[in-house]
């Protein structure tokens, strides 16, 4: 079994324009119960305060104070791994509450998102598992109509198929590809749909050096007028070097479009 607690903070201070200062934080707990050698159940809860970056399309650009938001999320998950077949089920509920920024009303961004995913895998040779993973989400905005008169609540799905490859216990590769779609209740907002993909790579190059990479495509929420959402593609690469038992150097970078 396992029980975890975590907390972190991100504090920004500006020499000039102190209205841009911010204090973000998050804390939470999660746990896992090993029902048997093959079955486990888990769950967690997390609270966070963050702010909308000036580079975000949802920032008004009017020079008003930063927009603070508060997030509460809950998740449950379960997994079973047999001789050949494996199954994973996960669900998450995330609630976001946005503060107003000066004269800017941000109530139309307040929302709750419900997500569920299921993965079925088959290990056709030792160390290599084929999988299919359907995902579904439902998003409910507190305001039926936003400030632009649009209904932004809606739902979407994604179906991925791919493989996970455990190469000799030191290198791990997972690749998936499929299709995604996101719809809004308002017929004036176009449906987002297209190819989706995901990838994870981990290489323990030496006992001291680990390289990892992540690739994903997702639909991000936005309240920009006439925009259904943001189709985001992101790739990251990281290196961890552990020369001493109590010292780790980390270098990482990412690209998003």
């Amino acid at each position: 079994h396992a029980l975890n607690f975590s907390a972190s903070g991100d504090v920004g201070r500006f020499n000039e324009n102190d209205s841009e200062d911010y204090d973000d934080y998050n804390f939470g707990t999660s746990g896992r119960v090993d029902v048997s050698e093959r079955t486990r159940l888990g769950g967690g809860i997390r609270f966070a305060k963050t702010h909308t970056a000036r580079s975000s399309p949802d920032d008004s650009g009017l020079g008003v104070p930063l927009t603070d938001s508060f997030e509460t999320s809950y998740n449950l998950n379960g997994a079973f791994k047999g001789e050949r077949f494996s199954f994973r089920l996960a669900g998450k509920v995330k609630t976001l509450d946005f503060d107003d920024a000066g004269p800017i009303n941000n109530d139309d961004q307040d929302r709750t998102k419900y997500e569920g995913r299921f993965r079925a895998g088959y290990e056709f040779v030792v160390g290599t598992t084929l999988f299919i993973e359907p995902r579904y989400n439902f998003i409910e905005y507190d305001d039926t109509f936003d400030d632009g008169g649009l209904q932004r609540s809606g739902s979407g799905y994604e179906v991925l198929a791919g493989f996970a490859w455990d190469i000799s216990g030191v290198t791990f590769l997972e690749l998936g590809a499929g299709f995604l779609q996101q719809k809004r209740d308002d017929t004036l907002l176009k449906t987002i749909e297209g190819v989706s993909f995901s990838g994870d790579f981990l290489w323990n190059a030496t006992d001291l050096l680990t390289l990892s990479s992540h690739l994903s495509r997702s639909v991000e929420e936005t309240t920009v007028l006439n925009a259904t959402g943001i189709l985001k593609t992101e790739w990251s690469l990281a290196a961890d070097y552990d020369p001493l038992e109590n010292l780790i150097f980390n270098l990482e970078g990412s690209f998003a479009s």
Side-chain angles (χ1 to χ4, degrees):
H1 312 306
L3 181 62
N4 311 300
F5 298 93
S6 65
S8 66
D10 184 11
V11 178
R13 291 293 181 267
F14 289 77
N15 188 47
E16 299 180 5
N17 300 320
D18 56 8
S19 62
E20 302 299 298
D21 294 350
Y22 59 85
D23 300 281
D24 295 343
Y25 60 82
N26 74 80
F27 59 92
T29 181
S30 64
R32 185 190 75 244
V33 176
D34 297 318
V35 180
S36 69
E37 291 183 355
R38 299 186 179 274
T39 306
R40 69 174 188 268
L41 300 174
I45 183 172
R46 177 176 175 267
F47 303 94
K49 173 187 174 293
T50 186
H51 69 279
T52 302
R54 290 301 191 194
S55 59
S56 169
D58 288 297
D59 183 75
S60 67
L62 299 177
V64 297
L66 291 171
T67 299
D68 290 330
S69 61
F70 297 85
E71 174 188 324
T72 304
S73 61
Y74 312 87
N75 71 84
L76 291 172
N77 58 80
F80 169 80
K81 185 171 181 11
E83 293 292 339
R84 291 287 186 180
F85 288 96
S86 59
F87 303 96
R88 278 193 274 170
L89 180 66
K92 183 178 181 179
V93 179
K94 181 168 69 173
T95 300
L96 286 167
D97 181 19
F98 290 79
D99 282 352
D100 294 340
I104 304 299
N105 174 28
N106 289 309
D107 289 342
D108 61 355
Q109 296 192 62
D110 296 347
R111 60 187 180 266
T112 300
K113 183 175 184 179
Y114 306 86
E115 297 178 88
R117 64 179 62 187
F118 173 75
R119 174 181 287 201
Y122 175 72
E123 188 176 24
F124 72 102
V125 295
V126 176
T128 304
T129 301
L130 299 177
F131 70 83
I132 183 168
E133 182 174 326
R135 308 174 182 180
Y136 179 79
N137 71 76
F138 172 72
I139 302 169
E140 184 176 12
Y141 279 78
D142 292 0
D143 290 350
T144 304
F145 295 89
D146 67 10
D147 292 345
L150 298 172
Q151 297 175 289
R152 292 201 168 271
S153 295
S155 61
Y157 71 88
E158 180 179 13
V159 179
L160 286 172
F163 69 92
W165 187 18
D166 182 351
I167 309 169
S168 70
V170 297
T171 304
F172 305 89
L173 175 65
E174 179 177 302
L175 293 175
F179 182 83
L180 62 77
Q181 183 184 88
Q182 193 73 36
K183 286 185 175 181
R184 303 298 175 187
D185 292 344
D186 203 309
T187 56
L188 295 177
L189 295 172
K190 294 177 62 177
T191 297
I192 296 177
E193 58 185 10
V195 174
S196 65
F197 44 78
S198 67
D200 285 287
F201 174 72
L202 178 67
W203 178 31
N204 294 295
T206 70
D207 291 341
L208 305 180
L209 178 64
T210 299
L211 301 176
S212 59
S213 182
H214 176 72
L215 176 68
S216 66
R217 170 170 275 192
S218 60
V219 177
E220 305 293 329
E221 292 298 297
T222 182
T223 52
V224 173
L225 187 63
N226 296 327
T228 302
I230 299 171
L231 187 59
K232 180 180 179 182
T233 301
E234 185 171 14
W235 175 69
S236 64
L237 180 65
D240 293 283
Y241 181 62
D242 184 13
L244 302 172
E245 290 185 0
N246 58 351
L247 180 64
I248 298 176
F249 293 98
N250 171 263
L251 177 66
E252 61 180 292
S254 63
F255 173 80
S257 64

